[in-house]
Amino acid sequence: MKDDDKIIEHRIDMIIKQFSGKVDIEDGEMIPEVAIKGQSGYLYCFSPIKNRLIRIHRGTKAYVLKDANEKGITLIYTFSGRILEIEDKELIFTGFD
C-alpha cells in the first residue's frame, strides 16, 4: 500500500472514532471539520469511487482526507459518507463544531 493510502486509511479510522465518540489520547490528534462554502445551492464534485460527478449541497460539513494537490484539489469525506474531490477554495475551516 502506498504511503498516501495508509494516511487516508488512518484518517478514515479516526473520523469513524470521532463520529462514535470513542477517541483515545493514543489515537493522536482529532481531525478538524471543514464546510463547503455557501448556505444554499448545489455544487458538483468528482467522486473517485463512483468515477462521476456527484451533486452536493453547499454548507455540507466534511473532513479533509488528503490536503490539496498541485492543482488545488482536496480529497474530503462528507458527513453523508461520500468521498469527493473538491477545489480547495470551496472549503471553509470550521474547526471542531
Side-chain angles (χ1 to χ4, degrees):
M1 200 183 295
K2 293 189 261 179
D3 288 338
D4 281 349
D5 292 342
K6 287 182 182 180
I7 292 169
I8 291 171
E9 182 179 326
H10 173 27
R11 291 181 73 89
I12 290 173
D13 288 342
M14 187 62 174
I15 291 166
I16 291 169
K17 287 180 180 182
Q18 284 179 223
F19 273 140
S20 66
K22 297 181 180 180
V23 179
D24 295 322
I25 293 173
E26 55 270 357
D27 290 329
E29 289 187 35
M30 291 179 56
I31 300 171
E33 297 173 8
V34 295
I36 298 173
K37 284 184 181 177
Q39 295 180 7
S40 63
Y42 298 99
L43 178 70
Y44 286 87
C45 299
F46 181 73
S47 169
I49 293 172
K50 294 188 176 188
N51 202 26
R52 65 184 176 102
L53 293 175
I54 302 290
R55 186 174 82 165
I56 187 143
H57 291 276
R58 290 190 173 275
T60 297
K61 296 279 193 154
Y63 294 101
V64 174
L65 292 178
K66 186 176 176 186
D67 291 326
N69 62 17
E70 64 279 350
K71 295 179 182 176
I73 303 297
T74 302
L75 188 67
I76 62 171
Y77 180 84
T78 68
F79 279 29
S80 59
R82 294 181 171 151
I83 295 177
L84 302 171
E85 292 180 349
I86 187 169
E87 290 183 34
D88 193 43
K89 65 181 182 180
E90 291 290 342
L91 296 174
I92 301 170
F93 176 77
T94 59
F96 299 99
D97 283 347

